[in-house]
Amino acid sequence: MAERNAKNTNKIKKYRKPRNINLGMVIFGFIFVYIIVCVFLSFTEKRIRGYVVAEGALSTNNVYKGIVLRKEEVVTGERTGYVYYYPREGERVAVGDLVYTVDETGQLSDLVESAAMSGNTLDDATLSEMKSDLVEFTHSFSPTAFSQTYDFKYNLKNTVLKLANSVLTGSVSSLAAENSAIIKDCYSGISGIVTYWTDGYEDLTEDTVTKSMFEQKDYQKKQLSGNELIEQGSAVYKLSTSEDWSVVIPFDAERGAQLVEEEKGFIKVKFLKNQYESWAEMKMFTNQDGDSFLKLSFNNSMITFVNDRFLEIELIINDERGLKIPNTSIVEKEFYLVPKAYVTKGGVKGNFGVLRQSYLEDGSVTSEFIETTIYNEAEEEYYLDTSELRIGDILLMPDSAETQVVSKKATLIGVYNINKGYADFRRIDILYKNEEYSIVKSNSPYGLNVYDYIVLDAETVNENEFMYD
């Protein structure tokens, strides 16, 4: 019995636990590997993006801040005293006109102030002028240039005081006659437009303009108010003596030269202060620091802006319209120049090509038709692709014994057209460009048409490469 139990004990086998496969983990593993592969391919795959050509124009910023150059003469006081003005600011005075009176004692002050407060009414012309000034100031006001508010305040104050002075002209003249030692009338020695402010830029010319002036950090405009004490030799008023004046703006030298040539030296300018438009003669110049500027010269309307040293202007440039394409799509390509007489039609499909001289095994000379694509044409030559021809190839003129060696090259600016599913070079004529886009001529021979599909980035594709979406 014991022996039987021992035998049974020896026959006992170890139980093996069955393997349970987690199907969910297997599926998750496959998905994880697939995601990793897709991410890797997305970073390594060559991406070619297209762009649909459309008609358009470039939106360029043609607004500039300009500095005004005029022929100005500052008149200084003949003696110390209180000054009383007669002409209104912006009014033309002739030689010998009474401009101001100087009172050394100040006894005219009470007389002028009482006249200003006596309820004198404004005439229609003055009232209309002041309304116009108010409207102009309202439209041109900017919180970033609050100093203009003080300029406007001084202008209105001077207008009121000069009106009071004009009412008292007779009384002042009689007082001046009675007290010639202390009261003196001062007359204009030259003709011009009178203004009552100075800024130190009266002698400014194109030779002395600098780029830092346009920042206006150190610019100060000093108003010359009536009924105030002045010293002998200090500025009393200013005369602008010529209708010829100019506005100078900082401008890129290359673009300026192109603009002067394209616009034949003249351009229409809009003054943003009052939306007034006028034609100006253009001139590019460079100062001693190497900075380039565009000078816009006018021969009218100086009186309208006689109180301005800085003006916001807009250059009204004829907007070039055409096909708008991104600059990243533009590429430069090299071609062979072949005389037109050597280009013919042949082959099975009757396409354009050339007859190239070749040699048979026995050394005899023959010719073969090489189909080529024409990408542009000059007066006597075609631009042919370089893929089928080589430098040194001998071309035969059809129906003639004359030959031509392929040796001359030239480049064209163009884009890659992908209408047919592969990158096909098309030349372009750039009319105008900015930093991002170019306007090119539409419907030009061997060029682009509206709704053509081109490569957005020319560096991502090779010519004749097939596109895969």
Side-chain angles (χ1 to χ4, degrees), residues 234-246:
S234 61
V236 183
Y237 67 95
K238 182 169 62 176
L239 287 175
S240 298
T241 59
S242 175
E243 275 292 328
D244 296 329
W245 63 295
S246 59

Side-chain angles (χ1 to χ4, degrees), residues 98-117:
L98 177 63
V99 180
Y100 68 98
T101 295
V102 177
D103 174 22
E104 295 183 0
T105 63
Q107 60 180 302
L108 292 178
S109 178
D110 295 336
L111 186 61
V112 171
E113 290 182 4
S114 62
M117 301 296 294

Side-chain angles (χ1 to χ4, degrees), residues 249-304:
I249 59 176
F251 213 79
D252 179 73
E254 182 178 351
R255 187 188 173 201
Q258 180 182 1
L259 185 63
V260 172
E261 181 180 357
E262 290 177 353
E263 301 294 333
K264 310 301 182 184
F266 290 88
I267 192 170
K268 184 181 285 188
V269 176
K270 178 188 288 185
F271 297 92
L272 301 188
K273 176 181 179 180
N274 57 2
Q275 303 301 306
Y276 175 80
E277 295 182 0
S278 181
W279 284 91
E281 183 178 2
M282 295 185 290
K283 172 190 173 184
M284 285 295 301
F285 70 92
T286 304
N287 66 3
Q288 297 179 352
D289 299 328
D291 299 320
S292 57
F293 300 90
L294 179 64
K295 183 179 180 182
L296 305 166
S297 300
F298 305 87
N299 57 14
N300 56 42
S301 308
M302 186 275 294
I303 190 173
T304 306

